[in-house]
Amino acid sequence: MAKDELMNYEKALEQFEVVIGLEVHVELNTNTKMFCGCRNEFGNEPNTNVCPICIGLPGSLPAVNKKAVESSIKIGLQLGCEIAPNGRFARKNYFYPDLAKNFQTSQFDEPIAFEGALDVEVPSGKVFTIQIERAHMEEDAGKLTHVGGSTGRIQGAEYSLVDYNRAGVPLVEIVTKPVYGAGAEAPELAAAYVRLIREIVKSMNVSDARMERGNVRCDANVSLRPHGQEKLGTRTETKNVNSLRSIERAVRYEIQRQAALLAKGVAITQETRHWHEDKGATSSGRPKSDADDYRYFPEPDLVPVQPSKAWIEEIRATLPENPADRRKRVQAEWGFADLEFRDVVNAGLLDQIEETVKAGAKPQAARKWWTGELARIANTQDQDVTDLEISGAYVAELAGLVEAGKINDRLAREVLTFVLAGEGSPAQVVAARGLEVVSDDGALIAAIEAALAKQPDVLDAIREGRMQAAGAVIGAVMQAMKGSADAGRVRELLIEMANK
Amino acid sequence: MSDLIRKSASEQAELLRTGQVSSVELTQAHLDRTAAVDGDVHSYLHVGPEAALAAAADIDRRRAAGEQLHQLAGLPIAVKDNLTTTDAPTTSGSKILEGWVPPYDATVVAKLRAAGMPILGKTNLDEFAMGSSTEFSAYGPSKNPWDLGRIPGGSGGGSSSVVASFQAPLAIGSDTGGSIRYPAFVTGTVGAKPTYGAVSRYGLIALASSLDQVGPVSRNVLDSALLQDVIAGHDPHDSTSLPESLGSMAEAAKKLDVKGMRIGVIKQLNGEGFAAGVSARFNESLQLLQQAGAEIVEVDCPSFEYAIAAYYLILPAEASSNLAKFDSVRFGLRVTPEGTPTIERVMAATREAGFGPEVKRRIILGTYALSSGYYDAYYGSAQKVRTLIQRDFDAAFAKADVLVSPTAPSVAFKFGEKLDDPLAMYLNDIATIPANLAGIPGIAVPNGLAEENMPSGIQFLAPAREDARLYQVGATLEKLHEDVWGKRMIDFAPELQEAR
Amino acid sequence: MSEITPDLVRHLANLARIDVNENEVALFADQLNLIVDSVAAIKDAVAGDVPATSHPIAMANVFREDVIEPSLTQEQALSGAADSADGRFRVHAILDEE
Ligand SMILES: [Mg+2]
Ligand SMILES: [Zn+2]
């Protein structure tokens, strides 16, 4: 992979206007696949959730999953879309070994939902309205594993293995219209948009929305044009951007890469590009070519989907509060300051905090844990905080233990690492590992006396009112007791001893 | 040849019901006939004596135990080799599927098994049902029992010849543009294409999904009616399957009455382009029907002029997509070219080696008809012609209860005559294609000997879902013929030389 | 006439993933030209405002309930494959992206 030349970001934005477009694929969490009764489940033995239909055996025919249609309508409505009174499936024809029939059953000119809009807030607090062009139903492909060569990549692989368990899993593909005017905030806007889509589909329980499992996947289109030029620039489509962080980074990278080329007078190639998380760079994929003639035509094996007004209204009545209303409501309920609340939203932590508060935590404690320690841990693991394996109930339990004085902050952080490692609930970890704070005066006094033996002047200093001298003893006691001492109690005992 | 196998299916079923013959005896008699004549006729691609006799023995046991059985239980049947069977290979007449044993039964096959009908074997066809003569079968042609130097029609030449040569009392066929009716025409047998959706397509290896329909093949009208009653009915695995029952075809076939029935002669399918003998027999039959009390009217279907053109765009377009799944990955042939081949090269080499010339020709034509820049002119226009043809039928059925024409322009041609001239071959379907484009039912009934003492036939068409009318008028004409001839049409056929 | 050039045949065969030799290219070009010429009149037939018919029998909203049905076993699923390994279908290397 040749190293790309990048233009300084600020300079790129001075010279060019950024236009982005986003295609988000959402895997629905139906029980069964889009067109057959096979289990829609992640992580099973390969090729065990398959049947003649989803491995495309000769003679098999598809049958549409009603729940998947319903979920698609829900998504369309929540994106403010119109629902098509007459939608059809179409075949998108291309050969690829993960595509069992060598065509994808999708929707072409008659998507189930179209013409929506979504208000998306970026970290600066600015709100952009993103126009949704369409949301359509389609099926996922199987999973390819490349064997031999290096690192499981296509290049250099000796052969590939195909597992069709994922083939036919229902997808909704949400396509935006070109987004103008985000300027320097285009990368943040792209990530905030995907975060909001996740929030929406999760709140309706139509998708598990776990990016690390590929439940939500984003293709980011980026093009640049000189300020004032009307004609859109040539765009690239970056695939494989499967975390919120990488969406932001990939868009930023493409802006800088394209700007460097355009400044040198080099034309942008219309192509697919791949995002490499490790290198923090995109690389060239397949250029658009004649081979991209997908020969769409109406799927003859399926009849049109014509949702009645009554059905649409019935579905609309089940929709949860829309995300904007919900934000207003919870901010008031929790009493967060605007800045505090914006951090929570930007981190995509509304659901987590709501769950934590529901489980009994005080809102501020919930906020502190999620945007503080948990966010820090996620960051060191290069993960999104929302993908951590911990429930709101556990966080509430942890906060409760601290408040009751059973553990201190330092111990709580330690407990947290064991909870994340799957050792059970915070209370279970505390019990199993004996991590409770020691407030038994006997043990504390013994430790204090041992520390005083090495620093005999401390009691005098306290008596003279130089309280900071207590710190050295408290630190020594903590060290001796491996952090499990109740620091507040140590301080009290010291003062008592000094005043005796 | 035993007299038993010369009897009609309904007569054989009666012997089974009354215990005069066992299913094992009847099945064995047909297997013996196959051993004696199929070396010459080549109706079968696969004969399954063990499975057939086991099924027969099972029925005999159940009958002896006093179990209530289907009225056709124990009656053996042959199945076209484009329907999947778990106990026999399914090739669709193609090298690319040689030896493939599907892991599932077609719905029609499951219904035959449920009715207790032993499956004798799988019958020959043009590769993927593309053809009118079986000359495009990868396994060699079937012969016409009336003259072994002539074609038995296609694509279902195996099914027509198997009943015409008394190897089976009944057979299953499939009709995309006449593949049941044209073979019936040239072999002096009966074949019906039910209303689109009346019989499930699940497990039928698709040629053109919006045209394909499974139907019965037999030596008389009542037998086809009985068989349609077995295989018809709603199937949730086929989304285009009709939800409602069309009633009993056998009951209709027993109403030997056409008094007051308005029979519409299609102006465009009469006279010009039809052989003199075929036309003469056709006109004689119109007279017979008129004498029996039918009213003969003429109807005008001007858009039929474009039917062949529309058909030869829609069929290859859908076929090019349906046949994409034959790619060497999940089933069927794999051809690995020299060197270090990639999957792309393996797929292309496999499809080159596995498909015959007619299949390749049609796939390439269909790819063209769907490709960008040509879609509107070809596939799009063809779909519009389909609307015009439906309108013609609507107008015609306002004037007539059923429509009528010769089934095809001329009697069976000799092998090789049209092999290098696709256009001449396509013209055989001129009278049968409109029904497939419109989804309406049609039946082909023997209509006396024409040129060179070869059979000719007559076709009746009815509005969608009115299949019963076809069986009524067909059975009536058959009775009128037998009264005139003093014997059945099939009894004019020369005796085949038996090998032992 | 001659709408179908040899180059177009090669392109279409490539889209359809079928190797074709030069004899076939020439033969298919000739035959497809004849067929295409014979169907060309179709464009005139629908000059007016005619809706397209994609399905012969008009139906809509045919759905399946979201209920799990039995799948094939892994062995059944792989039974027809030319090659498999580790419970998966094995194919030659993919020459494509990256
Ligand atoms: Mg898509
Ligand atoms: Zn499946």
Side-chain angles (χ1 to χ4, degrees):
Chain A
M1 197 168 94
K3 207 147 169 57
D4 292 313
E5 202 181 303
L6 301 182
M7 186 186 278
N8 167 283
Y9 190 64
E10 281 71 31
K11 216 174 116 198
L13 287 153
E14 268 167 37
Q15 290 188 30
F16 299 102
E17 186 196 347
V18 180
V19 181
I20 58 170
L22 300 160
E23 289 167 29
V24 176
H25 287 85
V26 177
E27 266 186 358
L28 302 180
N29 60 1
T30 47
N31 295 326
T32 65
K33 294 186 179 182
M34 186 75 217
F35 300 117
C36 66
C38 289
R39 215 174 276 279
N40 170 15
E41 206 168 272
F42 181 85
N44 295 119
E45 282 292 300
N47 294 305
T48 53
N49 298 338
V50 298
C51 71
I53 300 162
C54 56
I55 54 173
L57 293 188
S60 65
L61 296 171
V64 177
N65 182 339
K66 186 175 185 184
K67 177 85 182 297
V69 175
E70 216 169 83
S71 298
S72 308
I73 294 176
K74 278 187 185 171
I75 291 173
L77 289 173
Q78 202 70 320
L79 298 176
C81 290
E82 301 275 324
I83 302 302
N86 186 12
R88 269 193 302 187
F89 287 97
R91 294 188 185 176
K92 179 182 185 180
N93 294 284
Y94 65 98
F95 283 83
Y96 211 71
D98 62 5
L99 195 62
K101 297 162 291 180
N102 289 315
F103 60 78
Q104 182 192 34
T105 307
S106 179
Q107 293 191 297
F108 181 47
D109 48 358
E110 296 159 303
I112 188 146
F114 57 97
E115 299 282 334
L118 213 51
D119 284 344
V120 182
E121 190 177 337
V122 294
S124 70
K126 218 187 279 175
V127 174
F128 292 90
T129 300
I130 289 198
Q131 303 292 334
I132 309 286
E133 184 175 300
R134 57 188 283 156
H136 69 253
M137 300 182 275
E138 60 184 28
E139 57 180 335
D140 212 340
K143 202 168 164 26
L144 281 166
T145 310
H146 307 295
V147 181
S150 61
T151 65
R153 288 258 164 74
I154 285 182
Q155 195 150 66
E158 281 151 32
Y159 58 91
S160 302
L161 297 173
V162 203
D163 168 15
Y164 292 101
N165 280 351
R166 196 182 64 184
V169 164
L171 290 178
V172 172
E173 179 177 339
I174 303 163
V175 183
T176 68
K177 291 187 177 162
V179 180
Y180 306 96
E185 290 176 298
E188 287 89 347
L189 178 58
Y193 167 77
V194 176
R195 178 177 290 131
L196 184 58
I197 297 280
R198 285 187 61 194
E199 201 179 315
I200 288 173
V201 297
K202 256 164 97 170
S203 71
M204 296 191 294
N205 192 27
V206 294
S207 172
D208 295 343
R210 295 176 65 163
M211 293 192 82
E212 81 282 8
R213 289 191 175 177
N215 296 150
V216 174
R217 310 197 287 266
C218 177
D219 300 342
N221 294 303
V222 176
S223 71
L224 302 184
R225 58 181 174 185
H227 289 290
Q229 178 184 302
E230 196 163 334
K231 193 168 168 282
L232 284 174
T234 305
R235 67 188 162 87
T236 59
E237 181 179 1
T238 305
K239 303 225 176 224
N240 254 353
V241 246
N242 295 332
S243 77
L244 295 172
R245 280 161 50 94
S246 20
I247 291 167
E248 201 174 316
R249 293 173 69 200
V251 171
R252 185 180 298 268
Y253 184 90
E254 270 304 285
I255 292 171
Q256 291 180 269
R257 186 187 69 85
Q258 291 184 20
L261 289 173
L262 290 171
K264 282 198 295 187
V266 179
I268 304 298
T269 317
Q270 190 178 348
E271 63 183 356
T272 300
R273 295 187 68 86
H274 298 278
W275 171 249
H276 305 277
E277 186 65 49
D278 47 346
K279 302 191 183 79
T282 65
S283 71
S284 175
R286 209 164 39 83
K288 290 274 172 197
S289 75
D290 285 358
D292 292 324
D293 186 345
Y294 294 123
R295 290 157 284 134
Y296 281 100
F297 71 102
E299 167 57 275
D301 288 325
L302 293 172
V303 303
V305 177
Q306 297 174 343
S308 67
K309 284 216 172 78
W311 192 29
I312 294 170
E313 289 318 308
E314 205 178 288
I315 292 171
R316 198 193 299 278
T318 68
L319 295 181
E321 188 180 21
N322 86 42
D325 293 348
R326 175 184 178 216
R327 287 180 186 183
K328 284 201 197 88
R329 176 179 59 78
V330 293
Q331 189 183 356
E333 278 175 18
W334 298 341
F336 287 1
D338 284 354
L339 264 175
E340 287 173 344
F341 192 67
R342 189 176 302 159
D343 284 346
V344 168
V345 170
N346 289 337
L349 285 168
L350 282 176
D351 285 346
Q352 285 74 5
I353 292 179
E354 189 166 41
E355 199 192 328
T356 309
V357 171
K358 265 193 197 138
K362 290 186 173 142
Q364 284 295 357
R367 187 187 63 79
K368 196 192 83 189
W369 279 109
W370 280 106
T371 59
E373 182 61 10
L374 285 163
R376 191 192 62 78
I377 292 172
N379 200 38
T380 59
Q381 297 174 356
D382 232 2
Q383 268 199 66
D384 200 77
V385 60
T386 56
D387 292 330
L388 290 179
E389 295 271 0
I390 187 166
S391 67
Y394 279 9
V395 177
E397 191 177 303
L398 188 74
L401 289 169
V402 173
E403 203 180 343
K406 292 230 160 160
I407 51 176
N408 55 25
D409 273 10
R410 211 206 56 79
L411 280 174
R413 286 198 292 275
E414 200 176 329
V415 169
L416 202 50
T417 60
F418 296 123
V419 172
L420 287 169
E423 293 191 9
S425 79
Q428 285 165 341
V429 168
V430 167
R433 290 191 168 259
L435 290 175
E436 224 163 313
V437 291
V438 177
S439 41
D440 162 18
D441 286 357
L444 290 178
I445 289 167
I448 292 169
E449 281 171 350
L452 285 173
K454 288 183 191 155
Q455 307 177 63
D457 304 341
V458 170
L459 286 183
D460 287 339
I462 292 173
R463 280 185 210 110
E464 287 160 20
R466 285 187 284 123
M467 277 310 295
Q468 63 270 37
V473 173
I474 296 172
V477 170
M478 275 294 182
Q479 202 168 11
M481 298 185 68
K482 298 198 170 69
S484 65
D486 180 341
R489 185 65 191 144
V490 173
R491 178 182 296 268
E492 282 171 22
L493 287 170
L494 255 179
I495 293 169
E496 269 174 42
M497 288 160 88
N499 294 335
K500 230 180 249 173
Chain B
M1 164 172 43
S2 97
D3 283 347
L4 182 58
I5 61 172
R6 289 194 70 94
K7 292 185 187 301
S8 71
S10 57
E11 289 163 351
Q12 293 181 18
E14 180 63 20
L15 295 176
L16 288 166
R17 279 197 300 274
T18 53
Q20 297 175 67
V21 67
S22 73
S23 178
V24 167
E25 284 164 345
L26 187 62
T27 302
Q28 188 60 56
H30 285 101
L31 290 168
D32 290 347
R33 174 69 172 173
T34 293
V37 301
D38 206 43
D40 288 334
V41 183
H42 192 225
S43 298
Y44 282 115
L45 293 179
H46 171 86
V47 186
E50 296 84 6
L53 289 167
D58 181 51
I59 283 298
D60 287 341
R61 228 176 353 257
R62 287 163 60 189
R63 199 187 301 280
E67 218 179 289
Q68 198 61 35
L69 298 172
H70 188 277
Q71 58 169 333
L72 298 189
L75 188 71
I77 186 166
V79 174
K80 194 175 180 180
D81 199 33
N82 58 356
L83 286 145
T84 58
T85 44
T86 50
D87 55 359
T90 301
T91 69
S92 211
S94 181
K95 283 283 178 222
I96 211 162
L97 272 186
E98 191 164 12
W100 182 58
V101 181
Y104 77 110
D105 274 336
T107 298
V108 163
V109 169
K111 281 175 181 274
L112 297 177
R113 296 197 205 277
M117 300 177 73
I119 294 172
L120 295 164
K122 307 293 289 292
T123 59
N124 195 15
L125 67 159
D126 289 288
E127 184 176 0
F128 291 110
M130 293 183 190
S132 306
S133 66
T134 68
E135 290 170 289
F136 291 128
S137 167
Y139 304 98
S142 301
K143 315 287 172 55
N144 191 322
W146 292 70
D147 175 350
L148 295 175
R150 290 175 192 266
I151 60 116
S155 64
S159 286
S160 66
S161 63
V162 89
V163 298
S165 61
F166 302 99
Q167 298 186 66
L170 292 172
I172 298 289
S174 69
D175 189 312
T176 305
S179 286
I180 289 176
R181 290 163 290 157
Y182 179 63
F185 171 95
V186 292
T187 58
T189 55
V190 174
K193 180 201 100 68
T195 298
Y196 183 82
V199 179
S200 169
R201 291 185 294 116
Y202 192 74
L204 170 70
I205 297 179
L207 169 52
S209 309
S210 75
L211 302 166
D212 296 343
Q213 185 56 196
V214 176
V217 175
S218 65
R219 291 187 293 266
N220 73 31
V221 174
L222 175 61
D223 290 354
S224 271
L226 288 163
L227 183 52
Q228 181 163 335
D229 286 344
V230 175
I231 61 177
H234 179 67
D235 178 11
H237 277 120
D238 176 357
S239 301
T240 61
S241 158
L242 296 176
E244 70 271 32
S245 161
L246 303 185
S248 164
M249 301 303 133
E251 287 312 308
K254 289 171 187 163
K255 286 185 212 154
L256 300 174
D257 180 14
V258 291
K259 270 190 229 58
M261 190 183 270
R262 296 171 304 162
I263 297 177
V265 178
I266 302 166
K267 199 169 117 188
Q268 282 73 12
L269 297 177
N270 192 19
E272 202 194 335
F274 288 80
V278 172
S279 289
R281 296 295 89 76
F282 177 66
N283 290 326
E284 286 161 19
S285 290
L286 292 184
Q287 272 185 359
L288 284 176
L289 288 163
Q290 197 169 26
Q291 283 158 15
E295 185 191 337
I296 307 294
V297 298
E298 190 182 65
V299 298
D300 190 12
C301 295
S303 301
F304 282 21
E305 186 187 334
Y306 304 106
I308 288 194
Y311 177 81
Y312 278 100
L313 290 167
I314 293 169
L315 179 144
E318 292 184 4
S320 71
S321 175
N322 284 331
L323 296 182
K325 58 171 65 95
F326 296 86
D327 64 358
S328 82
V329 176
R330 295 160 309 282
F331 53 84
L333 183 72
R334 173 176 294 181
V335 172
T336 309
E338 300 281 295
T340 45
T342 60
I343 179 65
E344 292 85 352
R345 290 195 52 221
V346 172
M347 283 185 187
T350 299
R351 290 163 64 79
E352 192 279 323
F355 289 145
E358 179 66 9
V359 174
K360 289 182 204 169
R361 188 156 44 235
R362 293 202 199 183
I363 288 177
I364 291 173
L365 177 61
T367 303
Y368 174 63
L370 289 174
S371 62
S372 77
Y374 301 101
Y375 180 95
D376 288 338
Y378 292 120
Y379 190 73
S381 298
Q383 298 282 45
K384 290 177 179 176
V385 166
R386 217 166 166 167
T387 308
L388 297 179
I389 285 169
Q390 287 196 328
R391 287 177 184 170
D392 279 1
F393 273 125
D394 288 346
F397 286 123
K399 291 170 70 180
D401 302 307
V402 296
L403 306 180
V404 67
S405 78
T407 311
S410 48
V411 300
F413 53 88
K414 294 193 171 111
F415 287 110
E417 233 173 77
K418 302 188 179 179
L419 206 47
D420 298 324
D421 188 352
L423 281 178
M425 192 77 100
Y426 297 171
L427 277 175
N428 292 313
D429 306 329
I430 189 159
T432 46
I433 279 172
N436 299 82
L437 289 170
I440 64 168
I443 194 168
V445 177
N447 204 41
L449 301 182
E451 277 74 12
E452 300 173 79
N453 264 334
M454 288 299 290
S456 77
I458 189 169
Q459 163 186 249
F460 295 97
L461 304 172
R465 301 179 179 82
E466 300 294 344
D467 305 38
R469 288 184 200 170
L470 301 178
Y471 287 102
Q472 183 176 340
V473 64
T476 308
L477 179 62
E478 182 181 68
K479 173 78 170 54
L480 295 169
H481 278 151
E482 283 175 22
D483 289 347
V484 174
W485 301 332
K487 56 181 177 180
R488 305 177 302 176
M489 173 89 177
I490 198 72
D491 295 326
F492 288 98
E495 277 283 338
L496 283 170
Q497 207 70 56
E498 293 210 0
R500 52 164 195 195
Chain C
M1 192 58 199
S2 290
E3 197 171 320
I4 314 273
T5 61
D7 271 349
L8 181 56
V9 171
R10 281 187 210 101
H11 167 64
L12 295 170
N14 180 47
L15 272 182
R17 281 279 194 287
I18 301 176
D19 280 345
V20 279
N21 61 38
E22 284 310 298
N23 289 338
E24 283 174 312
V25 168
L27 179 71
F28 287 157
D30 283 353
Q31 289 178 330
L32 292 178
N33 270 316
L34 284 175
I35 297 170
V36 167
D37 285 347
S38 77
V39 301
I42 205 166
K43 295 176 229 173
D44 311 328
V46 292
D49 190 16
V50 182
T53 295
S54 56
H55 297 73
I57 305 288
M59 292 205 284
N61 297 333
V62 176
F63 300 125
R64 176 177 63 76
E65 293 302 321
D66 186 25
V67 176
I68 293 165
E69 285 170 47
S71 291
L72 296 173
T73 62
Q74 190 186 70
E75 196 187 348
Q76 283 175 315
L78 298 171
S79 65
D83 194 7
S84 65
D86 300 334
R88 282 168 281 193
F89 297 88
R90 182 147 86 160
V91 299
H92 288 76
I94 297 164
L95 177 72
D96 197 57
E97 0 214 276
E98 291 197 68

